[in-house]
Amino acid sequence: MSERIENHARKMKALFRNQLRDGIVVHFVYPSGVLGTAFSNFSRGETECLKIPDYRDYLKEVPGLIEESNRYADDFCPLLGVRRDSIYSGYFGGEVLRNGSNIWSTPIPDLYENLVRLPGGPDNPWRKWETDAMDWLRGRLTNDIALKNSCSYGPTDVAEALRGTGIYMDFYERPDALRKLLGICADFLVDHYSRCRELATHVNDGFFSWQGFWVPLDCCSITDDAATNYSPDFFEEFSLPAIKSVVDRLGGRFEMHLEGSAVHILDMLIKTKKLLILQYTNNPKQPRGVTMIDTLRSKLDRIPAKILLSNTEFRDAMKQRLLPGNWVYDVGFDVESNDYVKSNEEAREIMRKAAEYRPRF
Protein backbone atom coordinates (compact mmCIF):
# COMPACT_ATOMS: atom_id res chain seq x y z
CA MET A 1 0.00 0.00 0.00
CA SER A 2 1.13 3.54 -0.64
CA GLU A 3 2.17 5.73 2.29
CA ARG A 4 -0.91 7.88 1.87
CA ILE A 5 -3.29 4.93 2.30
CA GLU A 6 -1.36 3.74 5.35
CA ASN A 7 -1.40 7.23 6.88
CA HIS A 8 -5.15 7.53 6.43
CA ALA A 9 -5.72 4.15 8.07
CA ARG A 10 -3.53 5.09 11.04
CA LYS A 11 -5.36 8.40 11.47
CA MET A 12 -8.78 6.72 11.42
CA LYS A 13 -7.60 4.05 13.86
CA ALA A 14 -6.53 6.82 16.25
CA LEU A 15 -9.92 8.51 15.78
CA PHE A 16 -11.80 5.36 16.76
CA ARG A 17 -9.59 5.09 19.85
CA ASN A 18 -10.49 8.68 20.80
CA GLN A 19 -6.86 9.77 20.38
CA LEU A 20 -7.44 12.82 18.14
CA ARG A 21 -9.13 15.06 20.69
CA ASP A 22 -6.78 17.91 19.77
CA GLY A 23 -7.33 17.63 16.03
CA ILE A 24 -9.81 16.99 13.24
CA VAL A 25 -9.95 14.92 10.03
CA VAL A 26 -10.90 16.66 6.77
CA HIS A 27 -12.29 15.36 3.50
CA PHE A 28 -13.22 17.48 0.47
CA VAL A 29 -16.49 16.71 -1.31
CA TYR A 30 -17.06 17.81 -4.89
CA PRO A 31 -20.19 18.11 -7.01
CA SER A 32 -20.93 15.18 -9.30
CA GLY A 33 -18.81 15.34 -12.43
CA VAL A 34 -16.02 17.48 -10.93
CA LEU A 35 -12.78 15.50 -11.02
CA GLY A 36 -10.66 15.95 -7.94
CA THR A 37 -12.56 14.06 -5.27
CA ALA A 38 -10.43 11.66 -3.27
CA PHE A 39 -12.63 8.74 -4.21
CA SER A 40 -15.03 7.95 -7.02
CA ASN A 41 -17.34 5.26 -8.40
CA PHE A 42 -17.32 3.38 -11.66
CA SER A 43 -20.78 3.17 -13.23
CA ARG A 44 -22.04 -0.10 -14.61
CA GLY A 45 -23.20 1.50 -17.88
CA GLU A 46 -26.62 0.74 -19.36
CA THR A 47 -28.92 -1.07 -16.95
CA GLU A 48 -30.47 -3.15 -19.71
CA CYS A 49 -27.22 -5.12 -19.73
CA LEU A 50 -26.59 -7.09 -16.55
CA LYS A 51 -23.14 -8.15 -17.70
CA ILE A 52 -19.89 -6.69 -16.43
CA PRO A 53 -18.91 -3.75 -18.68
CA ASP A 54 -15.45 -3.60 -20.19
CA TYR A 55 -13.58 -1.76 -17.44
CA ARG A 56 -10.44 -1.26 -19.51
CA ASP A 57 -11.79 2.05 -20.75
CA TYR A 58 -12.68 3.14 -17.21
CA LEU A 59 -9.27 2.26 -15.85
CA LYS A 60 -7.69 4.71 -18.28
CA GLU A 61 -9.17 7.40 -16.04
CA VAL A 62 -7.45 6.11 -12.89
CA PRO A 63 -4.07 7.88 -13.38
CA GLY A 64 -5.90 11.17 -13.88
CA LEU A 65 -8.08 10.54 -10.84
CA ILE A 66 -5.05 9.83 -8.68
CA GLU A 67 -3.24 12.88 -10.01
CA GLU A 68 -6.22 15.15 -9.27
CA SER A 69 -6.92 13.70 -5.84
CA ASN A 70 -3.26 14.10 -4.90
CA ARG A 71 -3.38 17.74 -5.94
CA TYR A 72 -6.39 18.24 -3.69
CA ALA A 73 -4.83 16.19 -0.90
CA ASP A 74 -6.81 15.88 2.32
CA ASP A 75 -6.86 13.34 5.15
CA PHE A 76 -8.42 10.66 2.96
CA CYS A 77 -6.80 8.64 0.18
CA PRO A 78 -7.62 7.87 -3.49
CA LEU A 79 -10.40 5.29 -3.46
CA LEU A 80 -12.69 3.62 -5.97
CA GLY A 81 -15.87 1.61 -5.65
CA VAL A 82 -18.56 0.01 -7.77
CA ARG A 83 -21.52 2.30 -8.28
CA ARG A 84 -24.81 0.53 -7.64
CA ASP A 85 -27.35 3.35 -7.16
CA SER A 86 -30.70 2.46 -5.55
CA ILE A 87 -31.17 -1.10 -6.75
CA TYR A 88 -32.25 -2.64 -3.44
CA SER A 89 -35.24 -4.61 -4.72
CA GLY A 90 -33.21 -5.66 -7.77
CA TYR A 91 -31.28 -7.95 -5.44
CA PHE A 92 -34.54 -9.85 -4.93
CA GLY A 93 -35.83 -9.92 -8.50
CA GLY A 94 -37.46 -6.48 -8.55
CA GLU A 95 -37.46 -4.43 -11.74
CA VAL A 96 -34.58 -1.97 -12.10
CA LEU A 97 -35.25 1.20 -14.10
CA ARG A 98 -33.37 4.27 -15.22
CA ASN A 99 -34.92 7.63 -14.31
CA GLY A 100 -32.81 10.27 -16.03
CA SER A 101 -29.33 9.93 -14.57
CA ASN A 102 -30.59 7.89 -11.60
CA ILE A 103 -31.20 4.16 -11.35
CA TRP A 104 -34.01 2.86 -9.16
CA SER A 105 -35.70 -0.42 -8.34
CA THR A 106 -39.44 -0.93 -8.03
CA PRO A 107 -41.41 -2.69 -5.25
CA ILE A 108 -42.16 -6.38 -5.74
CA PRO A 109 -45.88 -7.15 -6.32
CA ASP A 110 -47.57 -9.59 -3.91
CA LEU A 111 -44.44 -9.48 -1.77
CA TYR A 112 -45.79 -11.16 1.37
CA GLU A 113 -47.39 -13.97 -0.62
CA ASN A 114 -43.97 -14.79 -2.10
CA LEU A 115 -41.57 -14.24 0.80
CA VAL A 116 -40.30 -17.81 0.87
CA ARG A 117 -39.48 -17.65 -2.84
CA LEU A 118 -37.59 -14.35 -2.99
CA PRO A 119 -34.42 -14.83 -5.10
CA GLY A 120 -31.93 -12.97 -2.92
CA GLY A 121 -29.01 -15.38 -3.23
CA PRO A 122 -25.51 -14.74 -4.61
CA ASP A 123 -26.58 -15.84 -8.11
CA ASN A 124 -28.89 -12.84 -8.44
CA PRO A 125 -27.59 -10.96 -11.53
CA TRP A 126 -27.19 -7.62 -9.68
CA ARG A 127 -25.35 -9.21 -6.79
CA LYS A 128 -23.15 -11.17 -9.15
CA TRP A 129 -22.40 -8.04 -11.20
CA GLU A 130 -21.33 -6.14 -8.10
CA THR A 131 -19.02 -8.82 -6.67
CA ASP A 132 -17.59 -9.75 -10.09
CA ALA A 133 -16.87 -6.09 -10.84
CA MET A 134 -15.15 -5.64 -7.45
CA ASP A 135 -13.08 -8.75 -8.05
CA TRP A 136 -12.13 -7.53 -11.53
CA LEU A 137 -11.09 -4.12 -10.23
CA ARG A 138 -9.19 -5.48 -7.25
CA GLY A 139 -6.82 -7.34 -9.54
CA ARG A 140 -6.08 -4.29 -11.67
CA LEU A 141 -5.75 -1.28 -9.35
CA THR A 142 -2.29 -0.03 -8.42
CA ASN A 143 -0.96 0.49 -4.90
CA ASP A 144 -1.83 4.18 -5.19
CA ILE A 145 -5.56 3.59 -4.97
CA ALA A 146 -7.79 1.45 -2.75
CA LEU A 147 -11.06 -0.37 -3.40
CA LYS A 148 -13.98 0.28 -1.05
CA ASN A 149 -16.91 -1.90 -0.01
CA SER A 150 -19.85 -0.13 -1.65
CA CYS A 151 -22.46 -2.16 0.29
CA SER A 152 -24.16 0.27 2.67
CA TYR A 153 -27.69 -0.82 3.42
CA GLY A 154 -29.90 -1.25 6.45
CA PRO A 155 -32.59 -3.94 6.75
CA THR A 156 -35.47 -1.45 6.88
CA ASP A 157 -34.21 0.46 3.84
CA VAL A 158 -34.08 -2.78 1.85
CA ALA A 159 -37.51 -3.79 3.13
CA GLU A 160 -38.94 -0.41 2.11
CA ALA A 161 -37.58 -0.86 -1.41
CA LEU A 162 -39.17 -4.31 -1.63
CA ARG A 163 -42.51 -3.28 -0.15
CA GLY A 164 -42.83 0.38 -1.16
CA THR A 165 -44.64 2.96 0.97
CA GLY A 166 -47.02 0.24 2.16
CA ILE A 167 -44.37 -0.68 4.72
CA TYR A 168 -45.46 2.25 6.88
CA MET A 169 -48.91 0.67 7.26
CA ASP A 170 -47.38 -2.75 7.88
CA PHE A 171 -45.94 -1.65 11.24
CA TYR A 172 -49.42 -1.96 12.77
CA GLU A 173 -51.47 -3.79 10.11
CA ARG A 174 -49.08 -6.72 9.32
CA PRO A 175 -46.45 -6.74 12.08
CA ASP A 176 -45.67 -10.48 11.91
CA ALA A 177 -45.22 -10.40 8.13
CA LEU A 178 -43.01 -7.32 8.42
CA ARG A 179 -40.78 -9.04 10.99
CA LYS A 180 -40.31 -11.96 8.59
CA LEU A 181 -39.45 -9.54 5.79
CA LEU A 182 -36.91 -7.71 7.95
CA GLY A 183 -35.36 -11.06 8.89
CA ILE A 184 -34.94 -11.97 5.22
CA CYS A 185 -33.40 -8.57 4.50
CA ALA A 186 -31.03 -8.99 7.45
CA ASP A 187 -29.89 -12.41 6.19
CA PHE A 188 -29.27 -10.93 2.74
CA LEU A 189 -27.22 -8.07 4.18
CA VAL A 190 -25.01 -10.37 6.24
CA ASP A 191 -24.19 -12.54 3.25
CA HIS A 192 -23.77 -9.78 0.65
CA TYR A 193 -21.86 -7.41 2.90
CA SER A 194 -19.41 -10.08 3.99
CA ARG A 195 -18.75 -11.07 0.36
CA CYS A 196 -18.09 -7.46 -0.63
CA ARG A 197 -15.95 -6.88 2.47
CA GLU A 198 -13.67 -9.75 1.48
CA LEU A 199 -13.05 -8.07 -1.88
CA ALA A 200 -12.36 -4.56 -0.53
CA THR A 201 -8.81 -3.33 0.10
CA HIS A 202 -7.53 -4.58 3.47
CA VAL A 203 -4.84 -2.66 5.35
CA ASN A 204 -3.93 -2.36 9.06
CA ASP A 205 -6.51 -5.01 10.05
CA GLY A 206 -9.30 -3.02 8.41
CA PHE A 207 -10.91 -2.10 5.10
CA PHE A 208 -12.56 0.88 3.38
CA SER A 209 -16.29 1.46 3.83
CA TRP A 210 -18.73 3.03 1.38
CA GLN A 211 -18.14 6.37 3.16
CA GLY A 212 -14.57 6.36 1.86
CA PHE A 213 -12.76 5.94 5.19
CA TRP A 214 -10.96 3.07 6.91
CA VAL A 215 -12.83 0.96 9.47
CA PRO A 216 -11.73 -2.13 11.45
CA LEU A 217 -12.62 -5.59 10.16
CA ASP A 218 -15.28 -6.12 12.85
CA CYS A 219 -17.29 -3.12 11.58
CA CYS A 220 -20.17 -2.95 9.10
CA SER A 221 -22.17 -0.11 7.52
CA ILE A 222 -25.83 0.48 8.35
CA THR A 223 -28.35 2.95 6.96
CA ASP A 224 -31.94 3.71 7.94
CA ASP A 225 -33.18 6.53 5.74
CA ALA A 226 -36.68 5.09 6.18
CA ALA A 227 -36.53 6.08 9.86
CA THR A 228 -37.26 9.67 8.85
CA ASN A 229 -40.82 8.51 8.15
CA TYR A 230 -41.78 6.43 11.18
CA SER A 231 -41.84 6.67 14.95
CA PRO A 232 -39.10 5.82 17.48
CA ASP A 233 -41.41 3.16 18.94
CA PHE A 234 -41.61 1.35 15.62
CA PHE A 235 -37.84 1.67 15.19
CA GLU A 236 -37.24 0.09 18.60
CA GLU A 237 -39.72 -2.73 18.06
CA PHE A 238 -38.99 -3.65 14.45
CA SER A 239 -35.83 -2.10 12.98
CA LEU A 240 -33.45 -2.18 15.93
CA PRO A 241 -33.61 -5.98 16.43
CA ALA A 242 -32.91 -6.48 12.71
CA ILE A 243 -29.98 -4.05 12.82
CA LYS A 244 -28.53 -5.78 15.90
CA SER A 245 -28.83 -9.13 14.12
CA VAL A 246 -26.84 -7.84 11.16
CA VAL A 247 -24.21 -6.10 13.29
CA ASP A 248 -23.64 -9.06 15.62
CA ARG A 249 -23.13 -11.47 12.73
CA LEU A 250 -20.78 -9.12 10.87
CA GLY A 251 -18.41 -8.51 13.76
CA GLY A 252 -20.14 -6.53 16.49
CA ARG A 253 -19.59 -2.86 15.57
CA PHE A 254 -21.16 -0.55 12.99
CA GLU A 255 -20.88 2.88 11.40
CA MET A 256 -24.26 4.52 10.86
CA HIS A 257 -25.52 6.88 8.17
CA LEU A 258 -28.28 9.07 9.58
CA GLU A 259 -30.45 11.60 7.78
CA GLY A 260 -31.09 14.87 9.56
CA SER A 261 -34.70 14.29 10.53
CA ALA A 262 -33.99 10.84 12.00
CA VAL A 263 -32.13 12.13 15.06
CA HIS A 264 -35.01 10.73 17.16
CA ILE A 265 -33.49 7.23 16.85
CA LEU A 266 -29.95 8.26 17.81
CA ASP A 267 -30.28 7.53 21.54
CA MET A 268 -31.26 3.94 20.80
CA LEU A 269 -28.30 3.48 18.46
CA ILE A 270 -25.92 4.77 21.12
CA LYS A 271 -27.39 2.46 23.77
CA THR A 272 -26.34 -0.57 21.72
CA LYS A 273 -22.74 0.33 22.74
CA LYS A 274 -21.69 -0.88 19.29
CA LEU A 275 -21.81 2.39 17.35
CA LEU A 276 -18.30 3.15 16.07
CA ILE A 277 -18.98 6.42 14.21
CA LEU A 278 -22.05 8.38 13.11
CA GLN A 279 -22.23 9.90 9.63
CA TYR A 280 -24.76 12.74 9.73
CA THR A 281 -26.19 14.56 6.73
CA ASN A 282 -28.96 17.10 7.24
CA ASN A 283 -29.19 18.31 3.63
CA PRO A 284 -26.55 17.34 1.03
CA LYS A 285 -27.80 19.97 -1.40
CA GLN A 286 -27.56 22.80 1.09
CA PRO A 287 -25.62 21.63 4.18
CA ARG A 288 -26.14 23.48 7.44
CA GLY A 289 -24.63 20.86 9.70
CA VAL A 290 -23.08 23.32 12.15
CA THR A 291 -26.51 23.95 13.66
CA MET A 292 -26.57 20.32 14.86
CA ILE A 293 -23.05 20.12 16.28
CA ASP A 294 -23.93 20.82 19.92
CA THR A 295 -26.85 18.37 19.83
CA LEU A 296 -24.75 15.61 18.30
CA ARG A 297 -21.77 16.25 20.57
CA SER A 298 -23.90 16.09 23.72
CA LYS A 299 -25.52 12.83 22.63
CA LEU A 300 -22.49 11.08 21.16
CA ASP A 301 -20.01 12.01 23.91
CA ARG A 302 -16.84 10.11 22.90
CA ILE A 303 -18.30 8.53 19.76
CA PRO A 304 -16.90 10.39 16.72
CA ALA A 305 -19.09 11.87 14.00
CA LYS A 306 -18.59 12.48 10.29
CA ILE A 307 -20.60 15.55 9.38
CA LEU A 308 -21.20 17.40 6.11
CA LEU A 309 -20.58 21.16 6.12
CA SER A 310 -20.46 23.61 3.25
CA ASN A 311 -17.08 25.15 2.41
CA THR A 312 -17.97 28.54 3.94
CA GLU A 313 -19.66 26.92 6.93
CA PHE A 314 -16.55 24.85 7.67
CA ARG A 315 -14.22 27.85 7.44
CA ASP A 316 -16.42 29.99 9.70
CA ALA A 317 -16.78 27.19 12.24
CA MET A 318 -12.99 26.82 12.42
CA LYS A 319 -12.58 30.55 13.02
CA GLN A 320 -15.09 30.42 15.86
CA ARG A 321 -13.63 27.14 17.17
CA LEU A 322 -17.03 25.47 17.04
CA LEU A 323 -15.79 22.15 15.67
CA PRO A 324 -15.28 19.31 18.17
CA GLY A 325 -12.04 17.36 18.02
CA ASN A 326 -11.85 13.70 17.04
CA TRP A 327 -14.49 14.22 14.32
CA VAL A 328 -14.40 13.91 10.53
CA TYR A 329 -15.55 16.89 8.49
CA ASP A 330 -16.78 16.54 4.92
CA VAL A 331 -16.09 19.97 3.46
CA GLY A 332 -19.01 19.77 1.10
CA PHE A 333 -20.68 21.92 -1.45
CA ASP A 334 -23.83 23.98 -1.53
CA VAL A 335 -25.37 23.27 -4.92
CA GLU A 336 -27.35 26.48 -4.94
CA SER A 337 -24.38 28.75 -4.16
CA ASN A 338 -21.61 26.70 -5.81
CA ASP A 339 -19.83 26.57 -2.45
CA TYR A 340 -17.03 24.02 -2.72
CA VAL A 341 -13.21 23.97 -2.89
CA LYS A 342 -12.22 25.03 -6.39
CA SER A 343 -8.41 25.18 -6.54
CA ASN A 344 -5.21 23.58 -5.31
CA GLU A 345 -4.31 26.77 -3.49
CA GLU A 346 -7.61 26.89 -1.63
CA ALA A 347 -7.30 23.21 -0.69
CA ARG A 348 -3.78 23.68 0.64
CA GLU A 349 -4.85 26.75 2.63
CA ILE A 350 -7.74 24.86 4.23
CA MET A 351 -5.55 21.88 5.12
CA ARG A 352 -2.90 24.17 6.65
CA LYS A 353 -5.53 25.83 8.85
CA ALA A 354 -7.05 22.45 9.72
CA ALA A 355 -3.63 21.18 10.82
CA GLU A 356 -3.23 24.21 13.09
CA TYR A 357 -6.81 24.03 14.44
CA ARG A 358 -7.12 23.19 18.14
CA PRO A 359 -10.65 22.40 19.37
CA ARG A 360 -12.05 23.86 22.56
CA PHE A 361 -13.78 20.55 23.30
Side-chain angles (χ1 to χ4, degrees):
M1 286 294 105
S2 70
E3 181 180 354
R4 185 169 174 191
I5 292 176
E6 291 277 2
N7 285 340
H8 167 78
R10 284 193 291 268
K11 182 164 287 191
M12 292 303 298
K13 184 176 287 189
L15 182 100
F16 296 137
R17 291 173 175 169
N18 200 45
Q19 295 173 344
L20 293 180
R21 302 293 289 180
D22 62 344
I24 58 177
V25 178
V26 179
H27 173 240
F28 297 137
V29 182
Y30 298 85
S32 177
V34 176
L35 191 63
T37 182
F39 59 92
S40 183
N41 295 312
F42 283 143
S43 175
R44 78 179 131 270
E46 292 300 319
T47 57
E48 298 82 60
C49 177
L50 299 184
K51 297 178 182 179
I52 302 176
D54 188 345
Y55 274 103
R56 285 174 294 186
D57 290 335
Y58 290 118
L59 284 176
K60 293 176 183 177
E61 302 175 11
V62 170
L65 175 65
I66 295 173
E67 180 183 355
E68 287 296 308
S69 61
N70 283 334
R71 287 171 56 209
Y72 290 84
D74 53 24
D75 290 319
F76 278 49
C77 58
L79 193 68
L80 289 176
V82 176
R83 185 180 178 189
R84 41 127 187 100
D85 297 287
S86 301
I87 57 173
Y88 301 147
S89 75
Y91 292 126
F92 292 86
E95 187 178 9
V96 178
L97 304 171
R98 179 182 292 277
N99 180 9
S101 61
N102 296 318
I103 300 172
W104 304 92
S105 60
T106 60
I108 296 177
D110 303 319
L111 176 65
Y112 288 126
E113 287 74 18
N114 296 289
L115 279 183
V116 296
R117 295 186 293 275
L118 284 178
D123 291 333
N124 170 276
W126 288 105
R127 285 193 63 182
K128 193 171 188 305
W129 182 91
E130 189 169 354
T131 53
D132 284 356
M134 286 186 68
D135 189 50
W136 193 95
L137 280 171
R138 187 179 67 162
R140 288 161 174 81
L141 295 180
T142 68
N143 285 340
D144 295 308
I145 194 163
L147 181 65
K148 66 178 178 177
N149 179 357
S150 298
C151 188
S152 60
Y153 321 115
T156 310
D157 284 346
V158 177
E160 182 194 35
L162 295 173
R163 177 72 171 121
T165 55
I167 192 174
Y168 300 111
M169 303 291 285
D170 296 339
F171 283 115
Y172 54 92
E173 288 187 348
R174 309 179 74 166
D176 292 337
L178 178 57
R179 288 189 184 92
K180 290 180 182 179
L181 174 60
L182 289 170
I184 291 171
C185 294
D187 291 342
F188 154 75
L189 285 171
V190 170
D191 183 61
H192 188 50
Y193 193 94
S194 60
R195 289 174 187 269
C196 292
R197 181 167 60 186
E198 290 176 3
L199 294 169
T201 295
H202 288 220
V203 59
N204 275 358
D205 299 319
F207 67 103
F208 290 87
S209 75
W210 74 285
Q211 300 274 4
F213 56 79
W214 180 94
V215 292
L217 287 173
D218 63 355
C219 179
C220 67
S221 301
I222 296 291
T223 70
D224 201 333
D225 292 347
T228 61
N229 300 317
Y230 63 94
S231 75
D233 291 339
F234 286 150
F235 176 81
E236 184 173 24
E237 182 179 353
F238 293 90
S239 299
L240 192 57
I243 289 174
K244 287 181 177 178
S245 171
V246 172
V247 171
D248 288 344
R249 285 183 281 171
L250 284 174
R253 290 191 287 180
F254 67 105
E255 53 111 349
M256 184 80 187
H257 165 73
L258 196 64
E259 297 288 349
S261 54
V263 176
H264 59 285
I265 68 170
L266 181 54
D267 287 340
M268 283 179 274
L269 295 171
I270 294 171
K271 286 179 182 178
T272 65
K273 299 187 183 302
K274 298 175 180 180
L275 179 62
L276 186 68
I277 183 172
L278 175 77
Q279 190 274 335
Y280 177 83
T281 304
N282 61 340
N283 185 349
K285 293 184 178 180
Q286 196 174 24
R288 294 291 181 269
V290 73
T291 61
M292 285 298 296
I293 283 178
D294 283 345
T295 298
L296 294 175
R297 184 169 61 87
S298 64
K299 287 180 175 291
L300 291 169
D301 191 23
R302 290 176 171 265
I303 299 172
K306 178 173 182 278
I307 187 169
L308 177 65
L309 306 176
S310 71
N311 184 9
T312 301
E313 189 179 27
F314 176 74
R315 287 168 168 272
D316 289 345
M318 273 205 299
K319 289 178 182 177
Q320 300 178 59
R321 294 181 65 203
L322 297 176
L323 306 179
N326 211 67
W327 277 27
V328 181
Y329 295 94
D330 278 337
V331 183
F333 58 93
D334 185 329
V335 173
E336 296 179 4
S337 65
N338 211 25
D339 189 5
Y340 62 93
V341 180
K342 299 181 177 66
S343 69
N344 308 340
E345 293 74 23
E346 186 181 10
R348 286 195 293 267
E349 177 200 0
I350 290 175
M351 291 307 297
R352 178 180 59 79
K353 291 181 178 180
E356 297 171 351
Y357 179 75
R358 292 297 175 265
R360 288 185 299 178
F361 35 73

